[in-house]
Amino acid sequence: MKRVTAKAPINVALCKYWGKRDETKVLPMNDSLSLSMRDVLTTTTVEPSNELCFTIDGVVQSEAEHEKVSDFLAHFTDEAPHVHVRSKNPVPTGAGMASSAAGFAALGVAANAYFNANLDTQRLATIVRRGSGSAVRSLLGGAVVWHRDGSIESVAVDVEAWRMVFVVIDDRRKTIGSREAMRRTVATSPTYDAFVNRADSDVKKMISALQDGDLDAVGQIMEANQDAMHEAMAQAVPPIVYRSDASHRARNLITTLRARGIIAYATMDAGPNVKVLVEERMLTRLKSELRRAGFARVLVSRIATVGAVVIDEN
Ligand code: DP6
């Protein structure tokens, strides 16, 4: 019986995408850049079944999610998809940890092989972004730029000595999804344009900071970029606030630790959870300080050199 499994790295945006998107299209208004995670991966299996079934970590998903997967699979096959899509996530789903983005990247690569669609990576990028915008960046490894024209590119960087620490603050599904949050921000926030205007130049500066291996420069651009995104959301009507008191507490802790010599920087996406970029040699100290401050639930990842790929299960 044919069965295909693909794995895809979760990606952490150093420069965010916050764009126009509706049910069928994603129109990134700015370039964005992320690092793909080597040790935090989503795996997705596509296998024959009597009818379409979609599970995440063994839990059957809602009818709306089934519809989304069915629409997604229509890009790979003209026939009704009689398959079971089984996804496994290392981090909470729908909590701003980009697991659904990695999930769609893995599903795209798995479906491409399962249905023998033979689509190339750029074509896959136009499809997977319908499932989740930032999914495109999980198709590649390393530092990945998603250009505003839709193309993706992996930039050669040497970040082997860096680690990303996922600080799990709240694993509940967010109440406002990123789609609605984007729609509202674009339509009503007076500072959305300011975010878009700075975003492309942030990506350019970020690429050279990454190529220089300058974690301080990378961290400063990353923190300022995410502040601009969250501020634009906070000024939407009604406001969208993803960062919680605990997120701010973690961010402040990171700032304090820098003053004590631990080179680390924090970012947050569409959820309260915090990701901290740090040099490996500072990791033990960082983790113990986080634990001491009550942030005991952490996951640590190296940076991936490859993106979403089919796994040979034989
Ligand atoms: C805040 O990719 O989750 O993480 O397209 O609605 O699935 P959908 O949005 P999603 O957008 C979240 C964007 C972000 C920043 C980023 O990853 O660039």
Side-chain angles (χ1 to χ4, degrees):
M1 192 160 61
K2 183 169 174 175
R3 186 169 96 143
V4 177
T5 297
K7 61 177 184 177
I10 280 187
N11 73 78
V12 176
L14 306 185
C15 296
K16 316 291 183 187
Y17 128 77
W18 198 248
K20 289 198 174 154
R21 101 101 76 216
D22 61 25
E23 287 313 311
T24 56
K25 297 188 295 299
V26 188
L27 301 168
M29 304 302 286
N30 60 280
D31 292 358
S32 63
L33 182 151
S34 60
L35 292 178
S36 290
M37 296 295 119
R38 178 160 161 188
D39 306 305
V40 194
L41 296 158
T42 291
T43 57
T44 299
T45 301
V46 178
E47 61 194 5
S49 164
N50 292 336
E51 56 179 3
L52 177 64
C53 178
F54 173 37
T55 56
I56 298 180
D57 296 330
V59 178
V60 178
Q61 299 296 295
S62 68
E63 217 170 288
E65 293 296 323
H66 275 78
E67 225 168 275
K68 199 169 163 186
V69 167
S70 171
D71 291 347
F72 185 84
L73 294 176
H75 295 284
F76 300 91
T77 174
D78 294 333
E79 299 183 0
H82 291 295
V83 290
H84 183 179
V85 172
R86 268 191 297 124
S87 211
K88 273 197 288 180
N89 269 342
V91 289
T93 305
M97 305 283 261
S99 60
S100 61
F104 275 106
L107 178 57
V109 168
N112 199 23
Y114 184 89
F115 296 110
N116 298 313
N118 289 320
L119 307 178
D120 66 21
T121 306
Q122 295 296 340
R123 177 81 190 107
L124 271 181
T126 65
I127 295 172
V128 302
R129 75 185 198 186
R130 290 161 185 259
S132 175
S134 50
V136 294
R137 296 187 313 237
S138 288
L139 289 173
L140 301 178
V144 184
V145 181
W146 179 21
H147 293 286
R148 163 150 61 115
D149 66 6
S151 62
I152 49 174
E153 175 194 8
S154 179
V155 179
V157 291
D158 175 10
V159 287
E160 224 171 276
W162 295 3
R163 297 292 180 269
M164 191 67 77
V165 180
F166 290 70
V167 184
V168 184
I169 284 178
D170 188 341
D171 60 10
R172 284 171 297 183
R173 246 179 206 275
K174 54 199 172 206
T175 50
I176 303 177
S178 34
R179 263 167 228 201
E180 165 56 16
M182 282 184 194
R183 192 202 56 73
R184 205 186 290 175
T185 308
V186 174
T188 65
S189 173
T191 50
Y192 174 66
D193 288 346
F195 167 72
V196 172
N197 290 340
R198 69 170 293 151
D200 288 3
S201 87
D202 277 359
V203 169
K204 285 201 187 81
K205 286 187 219 152
M206 183 61 86
I207 291 171
S208 63
L210 283 165
Q211 286 172 335
D212 291 346
D214 185 344
L215 197 142
D216 277 303
V218 167
Q220 281 160 20
I221 302 163
M222 175 179 86
E223 289 198 344
N225 179 277
Q226 65 102 43
D227 280 336
M229 180 187 77
H230 285 283
E231 276 153 24
M233 281 191 264
Q235 289 182 40
V237 186
I240 295 141
V241 178
Y242 280 127
R243 296 183 293 190
S244 65
D245 287 350
S247 322
H248 289 292
R249 214 158 49 75
R251 163 84 180 271
N252 291 340
L253 173 69
I254 298 303
T255 308
T256 311
L257 292 178
R258 272 204 304 276
R260 289 173 27 206
I262 300 180
I263 303 163
Y265 291 84
T267 189
M268 285 144 263
D269 286 300
N273 299 297
V274 177
K275 293 131 205 176
V276 182
L277 185 62
V278 65
E279 281 184 23
E280 196 274 332
R281 65 195 172 93
M282 311 258 174
L283 187 59
T284 309
R285 274 174 75 199
L286 174 70
K287 275 167 59 181
S288 90
E289 293 290 350
L290 282 167
R291 208 171 26 246
R292 204 158 27 164
F295 300 109
R297 214 172 143 196
V298 298
L299 285 167
V300 179
S301 182
R302 292 165 291 176
I303 315 305
T305 49
V306 291
V309 283
V310 168
I311 304 172
D312 183 0
E313 289 182 289
N314 300 315

